[in-house]
């Protein structure tokens, strides 16, 4: 064991009863921490230990987001949610090895979920232009 919580679940050593769906490459569990007004928050997790989205094999990413889309389509009928928000961290500093996962959070009227953070502030256009140029270069095909 590598001490990774998600690997333990993937391998069946822990929380098998929390696994809501298991496909060839990913599984779904309810998030361990959920806002009281956004109950139903779930995590879609690759079965193999992958740290970041950009480390995941294309087939894993495809399956990961296919299941994410399944979940975003299900939250209405499942929880009476009006919609959802999807987010994903790439490495969170902490004692437990980080294992890629995607959050799917149901949204309800009046849930007061503040994403993005209220500290978000407008960025000057010049800064955004520099960011756009850097992104263009980083994302251009054949780089
Ligand atoms: Zn892991």
């Amino acid at each position: 064991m590598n001490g990774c919580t998600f690997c333990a679940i993937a391998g069946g050593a822990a929380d098998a009863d929390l696994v809501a769906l298991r496909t060839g490459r990913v599984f779904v569990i309810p998030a361990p921490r959920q806002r009281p007004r956004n109950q139903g928050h779930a995590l879609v997790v690759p079965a193999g230990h992958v740290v970041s989205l950009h480390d995941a094999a294309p087939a894993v990413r495809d399956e990961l987001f296919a299941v994410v889309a399944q979940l975003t389509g299900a939250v209405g009928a499942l929880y009476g949610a009006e919609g959802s928000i999807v987010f994903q961290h790439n490495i969170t500093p902490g004692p437990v090895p980080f294992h890629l996962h995607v959050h799917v959070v149901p949204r309800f009227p009046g849930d007061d979920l503040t994403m993005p953070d209220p500290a978000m502030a407008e960025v000057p256009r010049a800064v955004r232009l520099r960011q756009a140029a850097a992104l263009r270069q980083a994302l251009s095909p054949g780089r």
Side-chain angles (χ1 to χ4, degrees):
M1 272 287 121
N2 59 8
C4 172
T5 309
F6 291 145
C7 282
I9 297 171
D15 294 332
D17 52 346
L18 285 176
V19 176
L21 174 73
R22 203 181 275 274
T23 67
R25 296 182 175 90
V26 306
F27 64 91
V28 177
I29 55 169
R33 294 171 50 82
Q34 303 182 26
R35 296 181 78 241
R37 293 193 215 174
N38 297 91
Q39 296 292 299
H41 178 170
L43 305 178
V44 185
V45 190
H49 190 85
V50 178
V51 175
S52 295
L53 187 60
H54 49 274
D55 298 327
V60 172
R61 295 195 307 247
D62 289 352
E63 203 162 306
L64 192 67
F65 279 93
V67 173
V68 167
Q70 230 184 317
L71 268 171
T72 63
V75 294
L78 199 54
Y79 307 114
E82 196 163 289
S84 61
I85 186 168
V86 172
F87 66 97
Q88 184 265 320
H89 301 275
N90 290 294
I91 302 182
T92 304
V96 176
F98 189 82
H99 183 135
L100 174 65
H101 56 282
V102 180
H103 297 258
V104 179
V105 183
R107 295 299 313 272
F108 301 92
D111 65 13
D112 294 326
L113 178 63
T114 46
M115 282 189 79
D117 190 283
M120 289 280 278
E122 193 166 333
V123 178
R125 184 167 178 80
V127 173
R128 294 180 65 214
L129 285 170
R130 280 198 304 276
Q131 292 171 338
L135 279 169
R136 209 170 283 128
Q137 189 173 1
L139 300 176
S140 67
R143 185 180 159 263

